């Protein structure tokens, strides 16, 4: 956390949390409209994102320090800008770690459900800024194959696939075996991911043992995955 100025976040909090002394009724419509207009104005002024105010605090935190490698993980894009500027100042290698895309999911019509509609001018400015940041990178990492493909087409730096994961030893004592076997897919199906391969694997497993699959997340199973469900309906449940 940082004490950086984040006006848009303050406006959002003021919209969602009424004062303790307020009456049970919601605030007057003109007040809500004013806050909405202020939030939209700040959205246009804060570039590349609402966390642009981190920059001076980041500089203060690393003043007079030297690094061999600077790792910047994003989003937010401001992290990448801070990392690139710091690496240039101290002559360090720059590694950009993409947990989500920066500009590939920006669109003028908001076609990606998790993103707002963005004016074309802002998309162009964001793409240009990202291109300059990628040009400074010595190594780029992406957590999904699709992100890696997107970035490989846009930078001369090496792009590595580094998925999210956790390596742990088996629990002691071993957990009791569930009957039927249960598999949980937890997370998002963003960027055109499909449960098709998982469902196909489950179909093969069902030839040998009963299997149950539960999907946890706020994204519906894509239609591509639905086509596979007919073969698994007897052993798959709990989607949602």
């Amino acid at each position: 956390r940082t004490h950086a100025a984040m006006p848009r976040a303050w406006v959002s909090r003021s919209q969602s949390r009424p004062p303790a002394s307020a009456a049970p009724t919601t605030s007057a419509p003109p007040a809500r409209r004013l806050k909405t207009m202020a939030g939209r104005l700040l959205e246009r002024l804060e570039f590349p994102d609402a966390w642009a105010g981190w920059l001076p605090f980041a500089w203060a935190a690393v003043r007079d320090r030297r690094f061999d490698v600077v790792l910047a993980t994003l989003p937010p894009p401001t992290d990448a800008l801070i990392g690139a500027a710091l690496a240039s100042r101290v002559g360090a290698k720059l590694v950009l770690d993409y947990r989500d895309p920066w500009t590939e999911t920006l669109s003028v019509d908001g076609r990606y459900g998790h993103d707002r509609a963005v004016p074309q001018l802002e998309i162009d400015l964001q793409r240009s800024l990202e291109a300059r940041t990628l040009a400074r990178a010595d190594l780029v990492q992406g957590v999904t194959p699709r992100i890696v493909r997107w970035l490989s087409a846009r930078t001369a730096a090496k792009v590595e696939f580094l998925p999210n994961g956790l390596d742990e030893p088996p629990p002691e004592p071993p957990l009791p075996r569930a009957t039927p076997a249960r598999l949980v897919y937890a997370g998002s199906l963003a960027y055109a991911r499909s449960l098709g391969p998982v469902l196909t694997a489950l179909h093969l497993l069902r030839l040998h043992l009963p299997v149950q699959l539960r999907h946890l997340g706020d994204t519906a199973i894509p239609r591509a995955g639905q086509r596979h469900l007919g073969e698994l309906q007897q052993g798959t449940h709990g989607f949602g």
Side-chain angles (χ1 to χ4, degrees):
R1 302 290 295 174
T2 174
H3 298 290
M6 298 171 61
R8 182 150 46 110
W10 298 340
V11 170
S12 298
R13 284 197 294 269
S14 68
Q15 288 177 304
S16 59
R17 292 190 296 186
S21 60
T25 57
T26 57
S27 59
R32 288 202 305 270
R33 286 198 296 267
L34 182 60
K35 290 178 181 178
T36 299
M37 292 173 59
R40 289 176 178 172
L41 176 60
L42 290 169
E43 192 174 271
R44 295 292 179 263
L45 296 177
E46 292 174 329
F47 186 82
D49 51 54
W51 294 269
W54 286 0
L55 185 56
F57 294 86
W59 282 122
V62 297
R63 186 182 296 115
D64 300 326
R65 298 182 63 182
R66 292 293 180 266
F67 306 91
D68 297 315
V69 177
V70 175
L71 171 64
T73 181
L74 63 151
T78 288
D79 282 358
L81 301 184
I82 293 172
L86 178 60
S88 295
R89 190 180 76 168
V90 301
K93 299 290 186 181
L94 174 64
V95 179
L96 297 178
D97 175 38
Y98 277 75
R99 292 173 290 105
D100 284 304
W102 179 344
T103 60
E104 269 75 13
T105 56
L106 298 181
S107 65
V108 295
D109 55 7
R111 70 189 66 175
Y112 299 96
H114 56 282
D115 283 320
R116 61 181 174 85
V118 181
Q120 186 61 52
L121 176 60
E122 181 179 341
I123 293 176
D124 294 341
L125 292 173
Q126 293 271 10
R127 292 280 289 182
S128 176
L129 185 59
E130 183 181 23
R132 294 198 301 271
T133 307
L134 284 169
R136 174 62 183 81
D138 297 281
L139 175 66
V140 181
Q141 300 172 172
V143 299
T144 70
R146 181 176 291 268
I147 291 176
V148 168
R149 289 195 298 271
W150 280 338
L151 295 172
S152 296
R154 300 186 58 199
T155 179
K158 187 176 183 180
V159 182
E160 294 281 5
F161 172 48
L162 188 64
N164 293 322
L166 176 65
D167 293 324
E168 284 189 335
E172 293 291 347
L175 297 175
R177 182 171 180 175
T179 304
R182 293 192 294 263
L183 176 66
V184 176
Y185 183 99
S188 170
L189 296 177
Y191 322 130
R193 292 181 185 136
S194 171
L195 279 179
V198 176
L199 297 173
T200 299
L202 284 175
H203 174 62
L204 298 176
L205 282 174
R206 285 188 63 243
L207 300 177
H208 306 284
L209 74 163
V211 181
Q212 292 180 344
L213 171 65
R214 180 173 294 274
H215 169 245
L216 303 177
D218 58 359
T219 305
I221 296 176
R223 293 179 181 177
Q226 293 282 7
R227 290 197 298 267
H228 295 266
L229 288 179
E231 302 175 354
L232 294 165
Q233 286 180 346
Q234 299 303 315
T236 304
H237 77 280
F239 288 94

